[in-house]
Amino acid sequence: MSEGEWERAKVAPAARGDDCAPGRAGTAGGTAAVGGTAAVGGRGAPGGTARSALARDRADLGHEQAAAMLADLRRTLLDRFGTSDEALLDQRLFDGPLAGSARRESQRRATGSLVVPVRFHVVHSGSSGRLSTAAVQRQIATLNAAYGGRLGGSDTHVRFRLDSLDRTDNPSWFHNPQRNEGPMKRRLRKGGRGTLNLYTAAVGSDVLGFSTFPQWYRRDPRLDGVIVDFRSLPYGSYAPFNHGFTAVHEIGHWLGLMHTFEGGCVSPGDGVADTPYEAEPAQGCPQGRDSCPQRGRDPIHNFMDYAHDACMRGFTAGQGRRVRAVWAAYRSRKAGRNRVDLGTGAPGAARSVGAAR
């Protein structure tokens, strides 16, 4: 068993049935989010079956909104750091007196990673959805394995630290978290722009989770955060989406990543250079699919696609750089042309960014 396979076995349940059988892709697109409304991840499994091809995801931004968000990121980086070149900014934040890629990577390993504090809110109705502490800890372990590259992808140099766990018995919030998102978050949310507030409730089967993007924090900080269905956590009842990867996917949005199929085959897609274009989201695990004329097969194993959990493996290096660029632009406390305070970890925490597509 490889290291990645061992890590997957530790943090996620074994696949049930033929989770990686070729499947029919659904359609992307949907209505763009408006006015900072939470982005919805849209990964679902009605009755334990594959997600409906007709389910829509408010994080499918549409071409104009995706392009606008990428343009806003470039403007923000230019304003805060004097450059919108994410690769150059990566060198500035990592190199210091060192030179050469090998030495930069050595320094990167030595300085550690960006540590994101997590405020975990378990919303339940009596015993329904009342997650144990062990279940919450398994989800945090899954996040760290996924973002640490231990399941087969690249290390994003992002880590998650459970800072608090609370439980709220509220049947209305639990059974309809989308309708009650505002009052629920305003009551429970803690921390600032660099704190991840993660909520569990009975989101539903067609849509298993939803998240805000970091660009939306300034519109209404109280709505910032991620909500996932409690049955999507590791060993949950929503097979084949019960490895905890719904939270991995939604937190990717919270960290600034778009879907790999964003915009289909039309530039700029998700704006990340090393995620191949993809015409529509993956369903099941359609091995070898190549739906766009651009170079590269569809990234069906990427956490920002819609494949079954057993098909998902990791993020790309470019997605990791993009996450760190977005963090520096929108979630760090202070930043300027000569320094960056990422605002969550100890001094020397990872600082890097990535090239735009």
Side-chain angles (χ1 to χ4, degrees), residues 233-271:
L233 269 65
Y235 300 98
S237 62
Y238 262 179
F241 301 102
N242 61 342
H243 292 196
F245 296 161
T246 292
V248 173
H249 176 103
E250 297 304 334
I251 290 169
H253 291 315
W254 186 82
L255 290 168
L257 295 178
M258 299 178 189
H259 291 132
T260 54
F261 51 84
E262 184 64 55
C265 304
V266 179
S267 179
D270 67 350

Side-chain angles (χ1 to χ4, degrees), residues 99-348:
S101 60
R103 299 190 71 186
R104 283 201 302 274
E105 183 59 30
S106 175
Q107 184 183 34
R108 181 179 310 199
R109 289 194 298 268
T111 57
S113 297
L114 167 66
V115 180
V116 179
V118 180
R119 303 286 190 172
F120 207 112
H121 310 286
V122 175
V123 179
H124 60 99
S125 177
S127 61
S128 182
R130 197 178 193 280
L131 297 174
S132 67
T133 300
V136 171
Q137 291 171 337
R138 282 195 296 268
Q139 180 65 77
I140 298 298
T142 297
L143 295 177
N144 283 319
Y147 282 86
R150 300 200 303 273
L151 303 181
S154 295
D155 186 352
T156 66
H157 298 282
V158 175
R159 302 294 183 268
F160 300 87
R161 180 188 69 231
L162 181 61
D163 271 15
S164 67
L165 167 60
D166 56 68
R167 296 178 177 87
T168 301
D169 190 346
N170 188 313
S172 295
W173 293 358
F174 173 73
H175 290 293
N176 201 334
Q178 295 193 61
R179 178 178 296 176
N180 295 290
E181 177 189 5
M184 181 178 70
K185 286 183 173 180
R186 291 183 179 100
R187 172 74 177 275
L188 300 178
R189 194 184 183 285
K190 300 176 182 178
R193 69 181 67 235
T195 298
L196 170 60
N197 280 259
L198 179 57
Y199 307 79
T200 58
V203 178
S205 57
D206 267 355
V207 174
L208 285 178
F210 51 102
S211 170
T212 56
F213 282 102
Q215 288 91 332
W216 297 347
Y217 181 87
R218 58 195 176 213
R219 299 178 183 177
D220 191 343
R222 297 168 297 178
L223 290 181
D224 187 63
V226 172
I227 304 177
V228 299
D229 196 286
F230 74 99
R231 292 159 289 195
S232 71
L233 269 65
Y235 300 98
S237 62
Y238 262 179
F241 301 102
N242 61 342
H243 292 196
F245 296 161
T246 292
V248 173
H249 176 103
E250 297 304 334
I251 290 169
H253 291 315
W254 186 82
L255 290 168
L257 295 178
M258 299 178 189
H259 291 132
T260 54
F261 51 84
E262 184 64 55
C265 304
V266 179
S267 179
D270 67 350
V272 178
D274 61 359
T275 58
Y277 286 91
E278 185 178 23
E280 52 192 5
Q283 302 293 315
C285 196
Q287 299 288 348
R289 192 178 73 169
D290 189 0
S291 59
C292 287
Q294 293 93 337
R295 186 176 180 180
R297 293 184 176 180
D298 291 2
I300 63 169
H301 300 299
N302 197 284
F303 285 124
M304 300 313 294
D305 207 338
Y306 274 177
H308 289 178
D309 278 12
C311 187
M312 290 185 164
R313 297 175 186 169
F315 297 101
T316 67
Q319 285 175 315
R321 290 189 295 267
R322 170 55 52 79
V323 162
R324 297 188 300 269
V326 170
W327 188 279
Y330 299 109
R331 294 206 180 276
S332 61
R333 285 198 300 255
K334 299 176 182 177
R337 290 175 182 260
N338 299 312
R339 67 186 179 90
V340 179
D341 178 2
L342 294 179
T344 60

